[in-house]
């Protein structure tokens, strides 16, 4: 059974900040995301909960990115790598540190390059510009150390690619359910699923 898709995107993604001034400069003054809401909370929650402000930026399509600034709260870790939320020691691979990020969609390459211009003219210049399989992206870190990506589609994703994605995930679930999953086992299981499902696909096409 296919569940009905009833959500309509991201209301907001929220993060802590210890640099509210830098956060406002980055999102409002450099990127041009307007402040659309704020909540000032005093005496909220349990007795040891600090007073805070929760403020929101419009990132398009009625979606928002939001930040909490807690008055009097010290930074929570002393690691140089990572962000204000989570720090990582030298033993953690860099690819793992960079894997958590926020990606914001733009319509086309002109818009992507406009955000590149805004960032390169600021104290948070673009660190990477990469073309993936179907998208092109630029990356930087905001004042809190969070990685932010701007991305645009280079072409539409095809129905065949949607089918392939579902095959891949079904194979992944089978492989990680067994001991010692590997990428090779994933590809092998995916090939098995293609063979198993080929007859049903042909029957569906013939209809």
């Amino acid at each position: 059974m296919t569940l009905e898709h009833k959500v309509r995107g991201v209301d907001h993604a929220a993060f802590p900040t210890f640099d509210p001034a830098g956060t406002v400069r980055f999102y409002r003054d450099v990127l041009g995301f307007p402040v659309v809401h704020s909540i000032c909370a005093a005496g909220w929650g349990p007795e040891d909960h600090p007073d805070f402000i929760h403020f929101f930026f419009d990132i398009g399509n009625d979606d928002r990115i939001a930040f909490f600034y807690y008055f009097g709260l010290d930074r929570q870790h002393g690691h140089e790598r990572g962000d204000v939320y989570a720090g990582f020691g030298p033993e953690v691979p860099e690819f793992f540190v960079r894997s958590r990020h926020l990606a914001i969609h733009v319509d086309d390459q002109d818009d992507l390059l406009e955000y590149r211009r805004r960032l390169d003219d600021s104290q948070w210049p673009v660190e990477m510009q990469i073309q993936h399989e179907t998208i092109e992206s630029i990356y930087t870190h905001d004042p809190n150390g969070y990685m932010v990506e701007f991305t645009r589609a280079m072409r539409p994703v095809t129905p065949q690619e949607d089918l392939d994605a579902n095959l891949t995930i079904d194979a992944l679930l089978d492989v990680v359910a067994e001991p010692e999953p590997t990428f090779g086992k994933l590809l092998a299981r995916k090939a098995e699923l293609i063979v198993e499902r080929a007859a049903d696909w042909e029957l569906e096409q013939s209809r």
Side-chain angles (χ1 to χ4, degrees), residues 133-134 155-166:
E133 290 182 344
T134 62
R155 62 170 177 80
V157 175
T158 66
Q160 291 79 10
E161 287 171 316
D162 289 338
L163 176 61
D164 179 77
N166 281 277

Side-chain angles (χ1 to χ4, degrees), residues 26 30-31 33 104 106 108-131 136-140 148-152:
F26 179 82
V30 172
L31 297 178
F33 299 164
I104 299 173
V106 298
D108 53 36
Q109 189 178 42
D110 288 343
D111 290 344
L112 187 71
L113 294 178
E114 169 58 20
Y115 281 105
R116 166 140 209 169
R117 183 195 65 77
R118 296 181 192 183
L119 289 166
D120 285 345
D121 287 345
S122 77
Q123 65 188 93
W124 302 281
V126 169
E127 301 164 20
M128 297 183 290
Q129 182 165 350
I130 301 173
Q131 289 188 352
E136 182 178 17
S137 300
I138 57 175
Y139 299 83
T140 191
V148 180
E149 172 186 358
F150 287 85
T151 186
R152 62 102 181 177

Side-chain angles (χ1 to χ4, degrees), residues 13 73 77 79 88 98 121 126 158 167 205:
L73 181 67
H77 68 79
H79 294 284
F88 300 94
R98 288 176 173 265
D121 287 345
V126 169
T158 66
L167 267 172
Q205 289 295 320

